[in-house]
Amino acid sequence: MKRLILFCILFTVLHANGQKKKADSLPFQKDVKFSYSSLILPAGLITYGILGIKNDPIRKWDRNIRTQLQPDGVKTGIDDYTVLAPILTSFGLEFAGIEGRNNLVDKSIIIGTSALFMYSTVRLIKNNTSVRRPSGRSVSSFPSGHTALSFMAAEFLHQEYGHVSPWYSIAGYSVATATGFLRIYNDKHWFSDVLAGAGIGILSTKIAYWLHPFLKNVIFKNKTEKQVSQVQWHIAPLYSGNELLLTTSLKF
């Protein structure tokens, strides 16, 4: 399965070469402007998840879904790897010479900002709720961190390369949806946990893009283009024993 993920990433990069000339002629707005309509989907997902903490009909629906998806002792750990696939694809396209909405430095700032929002929100909610996982192993089920990270990455890939080809957006969100499904299938999360995680992930990336022009002007206000090009960015997964996290750092 790991080889399948790698193959999908490589296929996406190779597919981009056929789309590069087409993308160069497509006009698109570099900065993502705030719009209230963009809040509808993530806000709806998060609201559903929050209601599911105490709402009996939603909890019953969670249990029914778990019963239907419960495998006969067969588990898979692929969801620990699919969470990073859209991000790896996006930066793979960058290194392959396929231009996205932003350059490498701006991409790094955006993904770092979105990861900060996503991780902080997930940890804050987990620390203030006590939803037991379907497996019963802990009370940190809500929301799903894996799903939040995966949808954060999918929205990032969509924003950067959706104008090149809609297939990048479809691929990113397909992988994110599969990750959420596997979190339920592997008895790690309830359906409402996954929906809330998806909403948090999408919203975190949208916020990062909305704030990017402001953050860039503040951070690089007195810096030259040469100094900006010297920014070093590092990204790495961190496994805490129960969750797969994404760590990022920027060095100026």
Side-chain angles (χ1 to χ4, degrees):
M1 296 299 287
K2 298 177 187 177
R3 293 179 180 178
L4 178 61
I5 296 174
L6 181 59
F7 171 79
C8 291
I9 294 173
L10 291 176
F11 174 81
T12 303
V13 173
L14 292 174
H15 174 67
N17 287 310
Q19 298 288 337
K20 184 175 182 180
K21 185 176 295 183
K22 178 182 177 181
D24 291 340
S25 63
L26 288 176
F28 70 100
Q29 193 168 5
K30 187 177 181 64
D31 293 333
V32 180
K33 302 298 183 181
F34 172 81
S35 65
Y36 287 103
S37 61
S38 298
L39 298 174
I40 295 176
L41 176 60
L45 295 173
I46 295 171
T47 299
Y48 180 93
I50 293 175
L51 291 176
I53 296 177
K54 297 294 184 181
N55 186 278
D56 289 337
I58 293 179
R59 297 303 295 169
K60 183 178 179 180
W61 180 244
D62 280 346
R63 291 190 291 270
N64 288 339
I65 292 177
R66 182 205 177 199
T67 300
Q68 294 297 322
L69 295 181
Q70 186 68 24
D72 298 328
V74 179
K75 306 292 183 181
T76 175
I78 191 175
D79 47 319
D80 288 331
Y81 301 93
T82 55
V83 291
L84 296 176
I87 292 180
L88 294 177
T89 299
S90 182
F91 282 93
L93 292 170
E94 175 72 27
F95 291 122
I98 311 301
E99 294 184 1
R101 183 185 296 271
N102 295 283
N103 58 38
L104 181 59
V105 173
D106 289 338
K107 278 190 179 76
S108 302
I109 296 172
I110 291 169
I111 196 63
T113 304
S114 59
L116 178 62
F117 271 99
M118 182 277 297
Y119 178 74
S120 300
T121 302
V122 169
R123 292 315 312 172
L124 179 64
I125 297 176
K126 281 182 179 290
N127 292 338
N128 288 278
T129 57
S130 299
V131 179
R132 187 167 294 278
R133 293 181 184 272
S135 61
R137 293 183 177 180
S138 69
V139 289
S140 60
S141 186
F142 183 83
S144 170
H146 278 67
T147 307
L149 175 57
S150 188
F151 274 85
M152 180 200 81
E155 178 66 16
F156 177 69
L157 180 61
H158 164 68
Q159 293 290 347
E160 288 296 326
Y161 290 98
H163 71 283
V164 177
S165 170
W167 287 107
Y168 298 134
S169 302
I170 294 172
Y173 270 99
S174 295
V175 171
T177 300
T179 300
F181 171 82
L182 289 174
R183 297 309 287 167
I184 303 172
Y185 183 83
N186 288 328
D187 220 21
K188 300 291 186 179
H189 287 285
W190 303 101
F191 180 65
S192 56
D193 301 338
V194 167
L195 289 190
I200 291 171
I202 295 171
L203 185 59
S204 296
T205 298
K206 288 184 178 297
I207 290 174
Y209 274 95
W210 295 334
L211 292 179
H212 178 62
F214 170 76
L215 293 177
K216 183 179 180 181
N217 289 335
V218 171
I219 294 174
F220 300 119
K221 184 175 181 180
N222 297 316
K223 293 182 179 290
T224 63
E225 290 297 324
K226 182 178 180 179
Q227 288 174 314
V228 172
S229 66
Q230 293 175 345
V231 175
Q232 296 179 2
W233 175 75
H234 301 280
I235 181 171
L238 174 63
Y239 188 63
S240 65
N242 295 317
E243 298 176 315
L244 182 68
L245 308 175
L246 183 69
T247 61
T248 62
S249 64
L250 281 171
K251 182 179 181 182
F252 303 99

